Amino acid sequence: MGTIPGRFVAAVVIALVGTALAGCSGVGDGAGSADDAPPTEPATTRLEQALHYLAPGGGPVAFFDRTAFATRLGLEDLETGAPDADVARWFDAARAEDFLLENTKLTNYLRLMQDATFSEFDVEWQLAETRAGTTVLRMSDDLDLDEVADDLVAAGFEPSGPKARPILRPDLARSDDNGMLGGRYPSIELWDVALVPEKHLIVTGHHVAEALEVIDGETESLADAGTYDALLALDGDPATVEYAGLTGGTCTLDGEDAGGSGAALFLHPDSTVRWFRAFATATAAQDDATALGAAVATEKPDRKALSVRADGAVVRIEAAFADRVQLTTSYRVVEGRTACSGTVTPDA
């Protein structure tokens, strides 16, 4: 095992984490205990629950356990309708964490949505396809989704499809200068909305109908397909994950297809940040780990150290939880020697 300077964050992890999650065609996510899950949900961790609600083939996914995040920061008491001072408390804490630039797809509209029937404060967890764009939001048990439906329509969303479960689409002609409908719902972020009261879900994005088929058990889910099973097994502790990014498919190594089953990033509060890059062979993994060390050899040792090693066909990168900001924000960048190719072969 070797220890290399954390400037890896700015150079290599930016290439590594960012591109495997944002550049490969992909898979899964996870977090949180599910002891209080209603009987309509899989009685597993929140991460494993989430994987039952999206289909394979939608590209990389990211999971965020907002409940665990809020509890860790002592902000679990905040509710929609909060005064400006409470909203400011949340933003101050979130900015200090700087987890993902935003936490859920509702983060940037938190202040404007305090007059809505729901906001980020009502989200328990989120699973999002980072490229295909479908997002599943597991809402709090206390949220009345029938009330939400009525208010969305009143604000300017138009229902279509089956009356029992319509898909609500924003009437953009009615949006204001901030892109809000009724001054309280973001029209772009809530493009096509379906509500699933029995599972406490809000589904939004460009492939909502397909996600509903998965949720209803009509088509295979990521969990059914075992899309991310191998990556989850590498981490081995889905119950304590606060954030996870998963991607499947093969990545390139020096321009050649190196095979493998993708990559995953797991953040465990008060533990370690774990990044796994899975290859088809131990040789490919060793070459990758060696190259990472070489890539940072000339970097200034002015940041915290990261541990990098090849373990069989897997490259393992670990950092203290205190280094989570660099790792989670850098995964978005698509560049560098270890980046996933834009023409990777998906395994889903």
Side-chain angles (χ1 to χ4, degrees):
M1 173 188 289
T3 299
I4 62 176
R7 178 62 184 243
F8 177 103
V9 168
V12 179
V13 173
I14 284 182
L16 189 70
V17 182
T19 49
L21 293 182
C24 287
S25 295
V27 288
D29 252 61
S33 170
D35 293 340
D36 58 350
T40 54
E41 291 181 321
T44 55
T45 67
R46 292 191 182 109
L47 168 56
E48 291 165 314
Q49 285 178 13
L51 296 177
H52 282 84
Y53 300 140
L54 286 176
V61 299
F63 172 89
F64 177 58
D65 189 337
R66 198 208 70 87
T67 300
F69 178 77
T71 300
R72 178 168 61 81
L73 298 178
L75 298 173
E76 67 273 21
D77 59 317
L78 300 180
E79 299 178 347
T80 298
D84 286 347
D86 281 350
V87 174
R89 276 203 298 146
W90 176 261
F91 274 128
D92 288 346
R95 286 177 182 138
E97 288 286 313
D98 198 19
F99 244 65
L100 294 169
L101 307 182
E102 59 186 44
N103 299 323
T104 74
K105 69 185 292 122
L106 305 178
T107 300
N108 293 333
Y109 307 92
L110 181 60
R111 192 177 302 278
L112 293 172
M113 292 186 73
Q114 291 312 297
D115 292 326
T117 52
F118 69 94
S119 73
E120 179 168 290
F121 290 155
D122 297 288
V123 176
E124 291 199 354
W125 54 255
Q126 171 181 286
L127 179 65
E129 295 172 338
T130 61
R131 292 170 61 187
T134 302
T135 298
V136 178
L137 298 158
R138 205 294 184 181
M139 311 304 289
S140 69
D141 292 350
D142 297 334
L143 183 65
D144 186 337
L145 289 181
D146 290 330
E147 181 182 338
V148 169
D150 291 342
D151 198 50
L152 287 171
V153 172
F157 286 76
E158 299 182 347
S160 63
K163 186 175 182 180
R165 187 191 282 164
I167 292 177
L168 305 171
R169 175 167 291 182
D171 180 357
L172 298 182
R174 297 176 61 181
S175 63
D176 61 23
D177 291 343
N178 292 317
M180 306 293 285
L181 284 175
R184 56 192 184 276
Y185 294 107
S187 57
I188 299 302
E189 292 296 339
L190 295 177
W191 183 262
D192 280 5
V193 177
L195 309 177
V196 188
E198 64 272 21
K199 298 184 186 296
H200 306 285
L201 302 177
I202 293 178
V203 185
T204 184
H206 293 282
H207 303 284
V208 168
E210 290 87 339
L212 291 177
E213 291 179 354
V214 175
I215 292 167
D216 291 339
E218 297 174 6
T219 57
E220 189 176 53
S221 70
L222 290 167
D224 297 331
T227 305
Y228 297 123
D229 284 359
L231 294 174
L232 293 173
L234 289 173
D235 181 69
D237 192 14
T240 65
V241 172
E242 191 170 291
Y243 172 83
L246 303 105
T247 184
T250 59
C251 295
T252 59
L253 187 64
D254 285 338
E256 299 295 329
D257 184 349
S261 57
L265 175 70
F266 299 96
L267 276 78
H268 297 266
D270 303 318
S271 182
T272 57
V273 182
R274 304 167 189 168
W275 162 250
F276 302 100
R277 183 171 169 83
F279 290 91
T281 67
T283 298
Q286 184 59 62
D287 288 348
D288 190 54
T290 300
L292 294 182
V296 299
T298 59
E299 296 292 335
K300 297 178 181 179
D302 58 354
R303 301 202 182 189
K304 295 177 181 178
L306 303 174
S307 170
V308 180
R309 64 187 174 95
D311 180 7
V314 176
V315 175
R316 296 173 177 264
I317 303 151
E318 294 189 4
F321 188 66
D323 293 327
R324 60 196 177 280
V325 171
Q326 296 97 317
L327 289 174
T328 53
T329 55
S330 64
Y331 93 88
R332 294 170 176 265
V333 182
V334 184
E335 63 181 18
R337 177 193 175 282
T338 55
C340 284
S341 167
T343 56
V344 295
T345 303
D347 62 359

